[in-house]
Amino acid sequence: GANQPSHNMDILAGWRLGRRPSARPGARPEHRLSAPIGRGRAARRGRERKRMFFEWTPAIAIGHPAIDADHRQLVDIVNQLHGAIVADTGRQIIGTVLSDLADYGNHHFRREEQYMRRIRYPGYLEHKLLHEALFDRLSSLILRFEQGEAEVTLETLEFLRHWLTSHIMTEDRKLADMIVCQRIRTYA
């Protein structure tokens, strides 16, 4: 049924709020919202740091290059969403960034879950359920937003920042610890 988490993930994975779906199934979403061209990369980076809502720090890295890269991208998309809300760019752009967050979140969750299955991670099911719960909440927000029944607020962004930080620092850190243990056993 429509309330099944994996069903919602599959539906939302291809949904792009009126945008043309990727040409290749499973392709990573492209993120179009970036700093304006023509002002110099260093100047843009300085401005972005000053107004950054969610800062990536080494303290939240788990030590797995691909997963950390995904986490950095998710943080970047949350920052893009914050920028779109603060600049009051309009519903279409906010909707596009929300869709990007859902698309990339789905990409990341599937990558992480595939990796957990491959290493036979004992907390796989519980971890997957946490992913599905967030994805269900995000899909509900997007549906309500598109129907004009909900707004994306700073409280929404605070929730996303808290959820991502907490999830990375607890659940993903457990996964990283198991990866390290397996590497030690493999090379010992």
Side-chain angles (χ1 to χ4, degrees):
N3 292 332
Q4 295 173 341
S6 60
H7 177 72
N8 289 346
M9 289 178 76
D10 291 337
I11 290 171
L12 197 55
W15 181 42
R16 297 178 179 269
L17 294 172
R19 293 178 311 181
R20 198 178 107 239
S22 289
R24 297 173 307 172
R28 288 171 57 163
E30 295 177 21
H31 302 287
R32 292 158 297 291
L33 299 179
S34 60
I37 297 172
R39 296 261 177 140
R41 182 177 282 166
R44 282 194 309 271
R45 220 174 306 152
R47 285 192 307 276
E48 288 168 3
R49 277 196 197 107
K50 288 178 189 170
R51 64 180 173 201
M52 189 158 312
F53 171 75
F54 187 176
E55 188 171 349
W56 174 267
T57 66
I60 57 176
I62 68 164
H64 187 281
I67 293 174
D68 283 339
D70 282 357
H71 290 160
R72 280 177 171 247
Q73 185 63 39
L74 289 167
V75 166
D76 182 53
I77 297 169
V78 170
N79 283 325
Q80 290 176 22
L81 186 56
H82 177 261
I85 291 168
V86 169
D88 196 21
T89 58
R91 292 185 66 80
Q92 183 177 0
I93 291 175
I94 292 170
T96 298
V97 181
L98 261 179
S99 183
D100 285 349
L101 181 62
D103 289 346
Y104 201 84
N106 185 49
H107 161 79
H108 166 68
F109 289 163
R110 288 180 188 239
R111 176 204 303 261
E112 208 172 70
E113 291 162 11
Q114 179 181 31
Y115 194 75
M116 286 187 274
R117 285 190 306 271
R118 192 168 56 225
I119 66 169
R120 293 182 172 88
Y121 181 62
Y124 166 74
L125 185 57
E126 294 82 7
H127 200 126
K128 183 176 181 4
L129 290 173
L130 291 171
H131 288 168
E132 289 174 352
L134 175 66
F135 204 87
D136 285 348
R137 190 164 177 178
L138 185 57
S139 66
S140 174
L141 171 65
I142 292 172
L143 288 170
R144 290 186 353 259
F145 179 83
E146 184 182 57
Q147 294 168 353
E149 298 170 3
E151 295 299 319
V152 180
T153 64
L154 292 177
E155 290 81 18
T156 306
L157 292 172
E158 287 291 345
F159 164 77
L160 289 169
R161 177 171 55 185
H162 174 75
W163 191 94
L164 283 169
T165 302
S166 174
H167 183 79
I168 292 167
M169 299 288 286
T170 56
E171 301 306 319
D172 289 349
R173 182 98 39 213
K174 291 177 197 173
L175 174 59
D177 291 345
M178 179 149 181
I179 293 168
V180 169
C181 271
Q182 284 201 357
R183 285 182 186 157
I184 290 170
R185 275 188 265 146
T186 301
Y187 297 110

